[in-house]
Short mmCIF file of all heavy atoms in Angstrom, two decimals:
data_model
loop_
_atom_site.label_atom_id
_atom_site.label_comp_id
_atom_site.label_asym_id
_atom_site.label_seq_id
_atom_site.Cartn_x
_atom_site.Cartn_y
_atom_site.Cartn_z
N GLN A 1 -15.98 5.96 7.43
CA GLN A 1 -15.53 7.26 6.92
C GLN A 1 -14.00 7.35 6.98
O GLN A 1 -13.41 6.94 7.98
CB GLN A 1 -16.14 8.41 7.75
CG GLN A 1 -17.64 8.52 7.65
CD GLN A 1 -18.12 8.79 6.23
OE1 GLN A 1 -17.49 9.51 5.48
NE2 GLN A 1 -19.24 8.18 5.85
N PRO A 2 -13.36 7.89 5.94
CA PRO A 2 -11.90 8.01 5.99
C PRO A 2 -11.45 9.12 6.94
O PRO A 2 -12.17 10.10 7.16
CB PRO A 2 -11.53 8.35 4.54
CG PRO A 2 -12.73 9.06 3.99
CD PRO A 2 -13.92 8.42 4.67
N THR A 3 -10.28 8.93 7.52
CA THR A 3 -9.65 9.96 8.34
C THR A 3 -8.27 10.24 7.75
O THR A 3 -7.87 9.62 6.77
CB THR A 3 -9.46 9.48 9.80
OG1 THR A 3 -8.56 8.35 9.78
CG2 THR A 3 -10.78 9.08 10.43
N GLU A 4 -7.53 11.15 8.39
CA GLU A 4 -6.17 11.44 7.91
C GLU A 4 -5.26 10.21 7.99
O GLU A 4 -4.30 10.10 7.22
CB GLU A 4 -5.55 12.64 8.63
CG GLU A 4 -5.73 12.69 10.12
CD GLU A 4 -6.93 13.54 10.55
OE1 GLU A 4 -8.02 13.43 9.94
OE2 GLU A 4 -6.78 14.31 11.51
N LEU A 5 -5.57 9.27 8.88
CA LEU A 5 -4.80 8.02 8.92
C LEU A 5 -4.94 7.26 7.60
O LEU A 5 -3.95 6.75 7.06
CB LEU A 5 -5.26 7.14 10.09
CG LEU A 5 -4.64 5.73 10.14
CD1 LEU A 5 -3.12 5.79 10.32
CD2 LEU A 5 -5.28 4.90 11.26
N ASP A 6 -6.16 7.20 7.07
CA ASP A 6 -6.38 6.51 5.79
C ASP A 6 -5.59 7.17 4.67
O ASP A 6 -4.99 6.49 3.83
CB ASP A 6 -7.88 6.51 5.45
CG ASP A 6 -8.69 5.73 6.47
OD1 ASP A 6 -8.75 4.50 6.37
OD2 ASP A 6 -9.25 6.36 7.39
N ALA A 7 -5.56 8.50 4.68
CA ALA A 7 -4.80 9.22 3.65
C ALA A 7 -3.31 8.92 3.76
O ALA A 7 -2.63 8.67 2.75
CB ALA A 7 -5.04 10.73 3.79
N LEU A 8 -2.80 8.92 4.98
CA LEU A 8 -1.37 8.67 5.21
C LEU A 8 -0.98 7.24 4.81
O LEU A 8 0.00 7.03 4.09
CB LEU A 8 -1.02 8.91 6.68
CG LEU A 8 0.45 8.68 7.06
CD1 LEU A 8 1.36 9.70 6.38
CD2 LEU A 8 0.63 8.75 8.58
N VAL A 9 -1.77 6.27 5.25
CA VAL A 9 -1.47 4.87 4.93
C VAL A 9 -1.56 4.65 3.43
O VAL A 9 -0.68 4.02 2.82
CB VAL A 9 -2.44 3.92 5.68
CG1 VAL A 9 -2.26 2.48 5.19
CG2 VAL A 9 -2.19 3.99 7.18
N PHE A 10 -2.59 5.20 2.79
CA PHE A 10 -2.73 5.06 1.34
C PHE A 10 -1.51 5.64 0.62
O PHE A 10 -0.95 5.01 -0.28
CB PHE A 10 -4.00 5.75 0.85
CG PHE A 10 -4.09 5.84 -0.65
CD1 PHE A 10 -4.39 4.72 -1.41
CD2 PHE A 10 -3.82 7.04 -1.31
CE1 PHE A 10 -4.44 4.79 -2.80
CE2 PHE A 10 -3.87 7.12 -2.70
CZ PHE A 10 -4.18 5.99 -3.44
N GLY A 11 -1.11 6.85 1.01
CA GLY A 11 0.03 7.49 0.34
C GLY A 11 1.26 6.60 0.33
O GLY A 11 1.90 6.43 -0.70
N HIS A 12 1.56 6.01 1.48
CA HIS A 12 2.77 5.19 1.58
C HIS A 12 2.59 3.82 0.92
O HIS A 12 3.44 3.40 0.13
CB HIS A 12 3.19 5.04 3.04
CG HIS A 12 3.83 6.28 3.56
ND1 HIS A 12 5.16 6.59 3.36
CD2 HIS A 12 3.32 7.33 4.26
CE1 HIS A 12 5.44 7.75 3.90
NE2 HIS A 12 4.34 8.23 4.45
N LEU A 13 1.50 3.14 1.22
CA LEU A 13 1.34 1.79 0.67
C LEU A 13 1.16 1.80 -0.85
O LEU A 13 1.74 0.99 -1.56
CB LEU A 13 0.15 1.07 1.33
CG LEU A 13 0.29 0.78 2.83
CD1 LEU A 13 -0.87 -0.10 3.29
CD2 LEU A 13 1.62 0.14 3.18
N PHE A 14 0.36 2.73 -1.36
CA PHE A 14 0.15 2.79 -2.81
C PHE A 14 1.47 3.07 -3.52
O PHE A 14 1.78 2.47 -4.55
CB PHE A 14 -0.88 3.87 -3.17
CG PHE A 14 -1.23 3.87 -4.64
CD1 PHE A 14 -2.33 3.16 -5.10
CD2 PHE A 14 -0.46 4.57 -5.56
CE1 PHE A 14 -2.65 3.14 -6.46
CE2 PHE A 14 -0.76 4.56 -6.92
CZ PHE A 14 -1.87 3.84 -7.36
N THR A 15 2.26 3.99 -2.96
CA THR A 15 3.53 4.34 -3.60
C THR A 15 4.51 3.16 -3.56
O THR A 15 5.20 2.88 -4.54
CB THR A 15 4.14 5.59 -2.94
OG1 THR A 15 3.16 6.64 -2.94
CG2 THR A 15 5.37 6.08 -3.69
N ILE A 16 4.54 2.46 -2.44
CA ILE A 16 5.39 1.26 -2.34
C ILE A 16 4.96 0.22 -3.37
O ILE A 16 5.79 -0.39 -4.05
CB ILE A 16 5.35 0.67 -0.91
CG1 ILE A 16 6.14 1.58 0.05
CG2 ILE A 16 5.91 -0.75 -0.88
CD1 ILE A 16 5.96 1.21 1.53
N LEU A 17 3.65 0.04 -3.52
CA LEU A 17 3.14 -0.98 -4.44
C LEU A 17 3.37 -0.63 -5.91
O LEU A 17 3.42 -1.53 -6.76
CB LEU A 17 1.63 -1.18 -4.21
CG LEU A 17 1.24 -1.94 -2.94
CD1 LEU A 17 -0.24 -1.78 -2.66
CD2 LEU A 17 1.60 -3.42 -3.06
N THR A 18 3.50 0.64 -6.22
CA THR A 18 3.54 1.05 -7.63
C THR A 18 4.88 1.65 -8.07
O THR A 18 4.99 2.16 -9.18
CB THR A 18 2.42 2.07 -7.93
OG1 THR A 18 2.56 3.18 -7.06
CG2 THR A 18 1.05 1.44 -7.78
N THR A 19 5.89 1.60 -7.21
CA THR A 19 7.19 2.17 -7.57
C THR A 19 8.18 1.06 -7.91
O THR A 19 8.34 0.11 -7.13
CB THR A 19 7.74 3.03 -6.41
OG1 THR A 19 6.82 4.09 -6.15
CG2 THR A 19 9.09 3.63 -6.77
N GLN A 20 8.82 1.20 -9.05
CA GLN A 20 9.81 0.21 -9.48
C GLN A 20 11.13 0.46 -8.74
O GLN A 20 11.72 1.52 -8.88
CB GLN A 20 10.04 0.33 -10.99
CG GLN A 20 10.95 -0.75 -11.55
CD GLN A 20 10.25 -2.12 -11.55
OE1 GLN A 20 9.21 -2.27 -12.18
NE2 GLN A 20 10.80 -3.08 -10.85
N LEU A 21 11.55 -0.52 -7.96
CA LEU A 21 12.83 -0.43 -7.26
C LEU A 21 13.76 -1.51 -7.81
O LEU A 21 13.43 -2.20 -8.77
CB LEU A 21 12.61 -0.59 -5.75
CG LEU A 21 11.77 0.51 -5.08
CD1 LEU A 21 11.42 0.13 -3.65
CD2 LEU A 21 12.50 1.85 -5.12
N ILE A 22 14.93 -1.67 -7.19
CA ILE A 22 15.89 -2.68 -7.65
C ILE A 22 15.29 -4.07 -7.55
O ILE A 22 15.42 -4.90 -8.45
CB ILE A 22 17.19 -2.61 -6.81
CG1 ILE A 22 17.82 -1.21 -6.91
CG2 ILE A 22 18.19 -3.67 -7.26
CD1 ILE A 22 18.27 -0.79 -8.28
N THR A 23 14.63 -4.34 -6.44
CA THR A 23 13.92 -5.62 -6.27
C THR A 23 12.50 -5.31 -5.81
O THR A 23 12.17 -4.18 -5.47
CB THR A 23 14.59 -6.52 -5.20
OG1 THR A 23 14.31 -5.97 -3.90
CG2 THR A 23 16.10 -6.62 -5.40
N ASP A 24 11.66 -6.35 -5.78
CA ASP A 24 10.27 -6.18 -5.33
C ASP A 24 10.09 -6.53 -3.85
O ASP A 24 8.96 -6.68 -3.39
CB ASP A 24 9.34 -7.08 -6.17
CG ASP A 24 9.17 -6.55 -7.58
OD1 ASP A 24 9.35 -5.33 -7.78
OD2 ASP A 24 8.89 -7.36 -8.49
N GLU A 25 11.20 -6.65 -3.12
CA GLU A 25 11.09 -7.10 -1.71
C GLU A 25 10.20 -6.20 -0.87
O GLU A 25 9.42 -6.69 -0.05
CB GLU A 25 12.49 -7.17 -1.08
CG GLU A 25 13.36 -8.29 -1.60
CD GLU A 25 14.75 -8.25 -0.99
OE1 GLU A 25 15.46 -7.25 -1.19
OE2 GLU A 25 15.11 -9.22 -0.29
N LEU A 26 10.30 -4.89 -1.07
CA LEU A 26 9.50 -3.96 -0.27
C LEU A 26 8.02 -4.11 -0.60
O LEU A 26 7.19 -4.25 0.30
CB LEU A 26 9.97 -2.52 -0.50
CG LEU A 26 9.31 -1.44 0.37
CD1 LEU A 26 9.57 -1.68 1.85
CD2 LEU A 26 9.78 -0.05 -0.05
N SER A 27 7.68 -4.09 -1.89
CA SER A 27 6.25 -4.19 -2.27
C SER A 27 5.67 -5.56 -1.90
O SER A 27 4.49 -5.67 -1.58
CB SER A 27 6.06 -3.91 -3.76
OG SER A 27 6.79 -4.81 -4.55
N GLU A 28 6.51 -6.59 -1.92
CA GLU A 28 6.03 -7.93 -1.54
C GLU A 28 5.54 -7.97 -0.10
O GLU A 28 4.62 -8.70 0.24
CB GLU A 28 7.11 -8.99 -1.76
CG GLU A 28 7.40 -9.31 -3.23
CD GLU A 28 6.19 -9.83 -3.99
OE1 GLU A 28 5.38 -10.56 -3.40
OE2 GLU A 28 6.06 -9.49 -5.19
N LYS A 29 6.19 -7.19 0.77
CA LYS A 29 5.77 -7.14 2.19
C LYS A 29 4.33 -6.64 2.29
O LYS A 29 3.53 -7.12 3.09
CB LYS A 29 6.70 -6.24 3.00
CG LYS A 29 8.12 -6.76 3.13
CD LYS A 29 8.18 -8.05 3.92
CE LYS A 29 9.60 -8.57 4.06
NZ LYS A 29 9.63 -9.95 4.59
N VAL A 30 3.98 -5.63 1.47
CA VAL A 30 2.63 -5.07 1.49
C VAL A 30 1.64 -6.06 0.86
O VAL A 30 0.53 -6.26 1.35
CB VAL A 30 2.57 -3.72 0.76
CG1 VAL A 30 1.16 -3.14 0.80
CG2 VAL A 30 3.57 -2.73 1.38
N LYS A 31 2.07 -6.69 -0.24
CA LYS A 31 1.18 -7.62 -0.96
C LYS A 31 0.79 -8.83 -0.13
O LYS A 31 -0.19 -9.50 -0.45
CB LYS A 31 1.85 -8.08 -2.26
CG LYS A 31 1.89 -7.02 -3.33
CD LYS A 31 2.59 -7.56 -4.56
CE LYS A 31 2.79 -6.47 -5.59
NZ LYS A 31 3.67 -6.90 -6.68
N ASN A 32 1.55 -9.12 0.92
CA ASN A 32 1.20 -10.24 1.81
C ASN A 32 -0.12 -10.00 2.54
O ASN A 32 -0.68 -10.93 3.11
CB ASN A 32 2.31 -10.47 2.84
CG ASN A 32 3.54 -11.12 2.22
OD1 ASN A 32 3.43 -11.78 1.20
ND2 ASN A 32 4.70 -10.91 2.82
N TYR A 33 -0.58 -8.75 2.55
CA TYR A 33 -1.79 -8.40 3.31
C TYR A 33 -2.88 -7.96 2.32
O TYR A 33 -2.91 -6.82 1.87
CB TYR A 33 -1.47 -7.30 4.33
CG TYR A 33 -0.43 -7.75 5.32
CD1 TYR A 33 0.92 -7.47 5.11
CD2 TYR A 33 -0.79 -8.49 6.45
CE1 TYR A 33 1.89 -7.91 6.01
CE2 TYR A 33 0.17 -8.94 7.34
CZ TYR A 33 1.50 -8.65 7.12
OH TYR A 33 2.46 -9.09 8.00
N SER A 34 -3.76 -8.90 1.99
CA SER A 34 -4.75 -8.64 0.93
C SER A 34 -5.71 -7.52 1.30
O SER A 34 -6.18 -6.78 0.42
CB SER A 34 -5.54 -9.91 0.61
OG SER A 34 -6.18 -10.40 1.78
N ASN A 35 -6.00 -7.35 2.60
CA ASN A 35 -6.93 -6.26 2.95
C ASN A 35 -6.28 -4.89 2.76
O ASN A 35 -6.95 -3.91 2.47
CB ASN A 35 -7.50 -6.43 4.37
CG ASN A 35 -6.46 -6.33 5.47
OD1 ASN A 35 -5.26 -6.57 5.25
ND2 ASN A 35 -6.90 -6.02 6.68
N LEU A 36 -4.95 -4.81 2.87
CA LEU A 36 -4.26 -3.53 2.64
C LEU A 36 -4.22 -3.19 1.15
O LEU A 36 -4.40 -2.02 0.77
CB LEU A 36 -2.84 -3.56 3.22
CG LEU A 36 -2.72 -3.67 4.75
CD1 LEU A 36 -1.27 -3.67 5.17
CD2 LEU A 36 -3.50 -2.54 5.46
N THR A 37 -3.98 -4.19 0.31
CA THR A 37 -3.97 -3.91 -1.14
C THR A 37 -5.38 -3.57 -1.62
O THR A 37 -5.55 -2.67 -2.45
CB THR A 37 -3.39 -5.09 -1.94
OG1 THR A 37 -4.11 -6.28 -1.65
CG2 THR A 37 -1.92 -5.31 -1.62
N ALA A 38 -6.39 -4.24 -1.07
CA ALA A 38 -7.79 -3.92 -1.42
C ALA A 38 -8.14 -2.50 -0.97
O ALA A 38 -8.85 -1.77 -1.67
CB ALA A 38 -8.74 -4.94 -0.79
N PHE A 39 -7.65 -2.12 0.20
CA PHE A 39 -7.83 -0.76 0.74
C PHE A 39 -7.25 0.27 -0.23
O PHE A 39 -7.89 1.28 -0.54
CB PHE A 39 -7.14 -0.70 2.11
CG PHE A 39 -6.93 0.68 2.66
CD1 PHE A 39 -7.94 1.34 3.34
CD2 PHE A 39 -5.68 1.30 2.54
CE1 PHE A 39 -7.72 2.61 3.87
CE2 PHE A 39 -5.46 2.56 3.07
CZ PHE A 39 -6.49 3.22 3.72
N CYS A 40 -6.04 0.02 -0.73
CA CYS A 40 -5.40 0.94 -1.68
C CYS A 40 -6.21 1.05 -2.97
O CYS A 40 -6.42 2.15 -3.50
CB CYS A 40 -3.97 0.49 -2.00
SG CYS A 40 -2.81 0.73 -0.63
N ARG A 41 -6.68 -0.08 -3.48
CA ARG A 41 -7.49 -0.07 -4.71
C ARG A 41 -8.77 0.73 -4.50
O ARG A 41 -9.20 1.49 -5.36
CB ARG A 41 -7.84 -1.51 -5.13
CG ARG A 41 -6.76 -2.20 -5.94
CD ARG A 41 -7.31 -3.43 -6.64
NE ARG A 41 -7.80 -4.44 -5.71
CZ ARG A 41 -7.04 -5.37 -5.15
NH1 ARG A 41 -5.75 -5.42 -5.40
NH2 ARG A 41 -7.56 -6.25 -4.32
N ARG A 42 -9.38 0.53 -3.32
CA ARG A 42 -10.65 1.21 -3.02
C ARG A 42 -10.46 2.73 -3.02
O ARG A 42 -11.25 3.47 -3.60
CB ARG A 42 -11.15 0.72 -1.66
CG ARG A 42 -12.59 1.01 -1.36
CD ARG A 42 -13.14 0.09 -0.29
NE ARG A 42 -12.31 0.00 0.90
CZ ARG A 42 -11.70 -1.12 1.30
NH1 ARG A 42 -11.81 -2.23 0.60
NH2 ARG A 42 -10.98 -1.14 2.40
N ILE A 43 -9.41 3.20 -2.36
CA ILE A 43 -9.17 4.65 -2.30
C ILE A 43 -8.79 5.20 -3.66
O ILE A 43 -9.23 6.28 -4.06
CB ILE A 43 -8.12 4.98 -1.22
CG1 ILE A 43 -8.73 4.72 0.16
CG2 ILE A 43 -7.64 6.43 -1.34
CD1 ILE A 43 -7.89 5.14 1.33
#
């Protein structure tokens, strides 16, 4: 079951993954963890 932690983590990770910045260095840090990206897709 999701908790407020899931909502908070999703908010930040999804936004990092989908926001165009000067470089992709920030989103690459998240993409290194496949279970976190799968978590974002699931939510």
Side-chain angles (χ1 to χ4, degrees):
Q1 295 299 323
T3 64
E4 44 265 44
L5 173 62
D6 296 278
L8 180 66
V9 172
F10 171 75
H12 285 278
L13 295 188
F14 186 94
T15 306
I16 288 170
L17 286 166
T18 56
T19 300
Q20 186 71 59
L21 296 171
I22 302 297
T23 73
D24 288 335
E25 289 177 299
L26 185 62
S27 59
E28 288 300 324
K29 294 296 181 191
V30 181
K31 286 179 187 170
N32 286 335
Y33 299 94
S34 58
N35 64 337
L36 294 181
T37 55
F39 165 83
C40 289
R41 276 195 298 273
R42 196 159 49 245
I43 290 187

